[in-house]
Amino acid sequence: MIRLTTTLAPMIRMATLATVPALAAIALPAHAQDAQGKLKVGLMLPYSGTYAALGTAIENGFRLYVDEQGGKLAGREIAFFKIDDESEPAKGTENVNKLIRRDNVDVLVGSVHSGVAMAMARAARESGTLMIVPNAGADAITGPMCAPNVFRSSFSNWQPAYAMGRVAGEQEKKKKAMTITWKYAAGEEAANGFKEGFEKTGGQVIRQLTLPFPNVEFQALLTEIAAAKPDAVFAFFAGGGAVKFVKDYAAAGLNKSIPLYGPGFLTDGTLEAQGESAQGMLTTLHYADSLNTPRDRAFRLAYAKAYKMQPDVYAVQGYDAAQMLAAGLAAVNGDVGRKAELNAAIEKARIDSPRGPFTLSRAHNPVQDFYLRRVEGNENRMIGVASKALADPGRGCKL
Ligand code: PHB
């Protein structure tokens, strides 16, 4: 007698069905049919460590969009498979292979940390699994590593940093800056993006400081900044590390004499913890707390109702990752096997994001406005558009 269970590897199940088609419908238990009907979404995100809050916000945003669609995308219910990647690149390949090989997911959503996301993108490219990056800005993912099945709902590390460099030079009239960040892809690419934008305005980056991720012993570097006396400091930190850095910068008294700039990650989702130390800071990002559009108001209301907290940029990126997936699935009636059509539909989608509508570049990165924001109370208030419809150059992408 043939017994089929959900634990059988899908290939064995398919072979069995092919040889005994008449038995298949009878033999397949109802719960197994349900399981096959569900779309498997692999969430590989940090749920511990300095980026833990970011992972949770992304998942919340993703689930909110799915819930708004009645719990289904293109008629298919969603089954979530979750992994805490700990923002640990060394475990990235092993972790993503659990989702691809063991859980046989239809789509990968992740991650926050650029190093982890690069390991995921490599595996997605090799296996052909659809992947949507809901945060990690690694320039390479929409650069030399770009692939037909890999998309991003967030930003490239270059984008907000480049926009900030222009503002620091053109608007704030700064001439000599220093950068400080964690020594890994995201920090280094952000520092370089700032330098590129700033030096276009005639400014000069005099020193680039780093410390290992996710260290928060900033004191020696703050002393170095105080001694060098630049006109401005540009910092990339996020999550728990950003909270600590902004507080330490203020505690050292530096915010009184040397303005601190950054991509908006420095003050997004962190303001309650940063309190007084962040007031007045200028940052650039593809989201702000006071956009006040009907689309954003509806999103913020729904998010606050569902999760009893305000959304941040990470929540928006998670929400939009689900929107991108939905756009692809709609074009293939939920059949993820029709890969070329699925990818093409995501590529062409115009996403009605809370941040404002966006499309994707040739390398699959959002082409979007970067807002200039100022911290006022617990809000990153939008005070202007720093770069309109800014596209990552996608250097090295051959698609
Ligand atoms: C990244 O590693 O790419 C990264 C992490 C946290 C952020 C932004 C970028 O807020």
Side-chain angles (χ1 to χ4, degrees):
M1 174 178 157
I2 296 165
R3 281 171 157 244
L4 293 175
T5 71
T6 47
T7 54
L8 277 178
M11 276 174 56
I12 300 172
R13 186 158 58 229
M14 280 181 55
T16 314
L17 297 184
T19 40
V20 280
L23 274 178
I26 309 162
L28 199 63
H31 67 85
Q33 290 179 22
D34 289 349
Q36 268 193 324
K38 286 189 181 172
L39 184 89
K40 295 181 173 186
V41 175
L43 296 178
M44 186 160 146
L45 293 166
Y47 294 104
S48 57
T50 201
Y51 290 158
L54 289 59
T56 302
I58 289 168
E59 178 175 346
N60 287 348
F62 194 100
R63 285 183 183 270
L64 178 62
Y65 184 76
V66 173
D67 290 346
E68 287 176 354
Q69 311 311 306
K72 292 184 182 177
L73 298 182
R76 293 184 70 177
E77 279 178 41
I78 310 289
F80 287 101
F81 294 75
K82 286 172 55 167
I83 286 188
D84 176 7
D85 66 38
E86 305 165 51
S87 295
E88 178 49 87
K91 296 184 188 164
T93 302
E94 187 188 332
N95 278 333
V96 72
N97 280 329
K98 283 186 196 151
L99 292 173
I100 296 174
R101 301 212 181 118
R102 181 192 67 191
D103 302 329
N104 201 24
V105 299
D106 297 304
V107 54
L108 292 164
V109 177
S111 185
V112 167
H113 184 286
S114 275
V116 173
M118 282 195 278
M120 292 180 73
R122 244 171 254 124
R125 194 185 164 131
E126 276 163 27
S127 62
T129 313
L130 175 63
M131 172 171 172
I132 304 176
V133 182
N135 183 71
D139 291 345
I141 291 178
T142 49
M145 293 172 69
C146 72
N149 56 313
V150 176
F151 298 87
R152 186 148 54 197
S153 67
S154 51
F155 59 90
S156 74
N157 289 322
W158 177 90
Q159 277 178 309
Y162 176 83
M164 191 70 239
R166 304 285 310 226
V167 170
E170 276 161 12
Q171 198 168 315
E172 299 291 296
K173 309 284 183 219
K174 302 299 176 196
K175 293 284 176 221
K176 262 192 332 174
M178 281 170 81
T179 63
I180 176 165
T181 185
W182 282 312
K183 191 169 177 54
Y184 82 104
E188 293 179 321
E189 290 169 357
N192 290 340
F194 174 82
K195 184 173 154 74
E196 189 182 325
F198 189 57
E199 294 191 343
K200 262 200 183 140
T201 71
Q204 195 196 354
V205 170
I206 57 168
R207 214 173 302 169
Q208 299 193 284
L209 307 177
T210 59
L211 73 169
F213 176 86
N215 284 12
V216 290
E217 298 310 320
F218 301 119
Q219 221 47 53
L221 298 175
L222 293 176
T223 305
E224 202 174 327
I225 292 170
K229 295 194 177 61
D231 305 335
V233 169
F234 171 88
F236 168 90
F237 295 105
V243 170
K244 173 95 170 25
F245 182 76
V246 170
K247 287 176 96 170
D248 286 5
Y249 194 86
L254 288 171
N255 60 340
K256 299 277 186 297
S257 50
I258 311 171
L260 175 60
Y261 303 129
F265 315 117
L266 203 52
T267 58
D268 232 80
T270 55
L271 288 176
E272 276 177 38
Q274 287 163 335
E276 196 50 42
S277 64
Q279 296 307 307
M281 277 179 60
L282 294 181
T283 62
T284 44
L285 203 63
H286 46 294
Y287 191 57
D289 291 318
S290 56
L291 295 181
N292 217 9
T293 58
R295 182 72 182 97
D296 190 46
R297 275 200 302 273
F299 165 76
R300 292 181 76 91
L301 210 63
Y303 191 93
K305 200 167 158 210
Y307 303 109
K308 313 287 175 253
M309 61 196 279
Q310 290 300 316
D312 55 18
V313 69
Y314 309 106
V316 171
Q317 293 168 172
Y319 188 82
D320 291 341
Q323 293 210 68
M324 286 165 65
L325 175 60
L329 290 172
V332 295
N333 272 326
D335 180 357
V336 285
R338 291 159 62 186
K339 288 188 181 184
E341 292 161 85
L342 178 70
N343 294 341
I346 301 177
E347 201 170 273
K348 285 199 286 284
R350 181 179 183 275
I351 302 299
D352 186 16
S353 170
R355 76 187 83 170
F358 71 83
T359 53
L360 295 175
S361 66
R362 190 181 44 88
H364 300 168
N365 190 65
V367 178
Q368 55 194 338
D369 294 347
F370 282 82
Y371 304 109
L372 180 60
R373 307 119 42 94
R374 184 169 50 226
V375 176
E376 287 178 18
N378 278 343
E379 281 204 341
N380 284 289
R381 182 162 287 279
M382 199 263 269
I383 56 170
V385 177
S387 287
K388 186 116 195 94
L390 184 65
D392 180 89
R395 294 169 188 136
C397 169
K398 296 192 184 67
L399 267 187

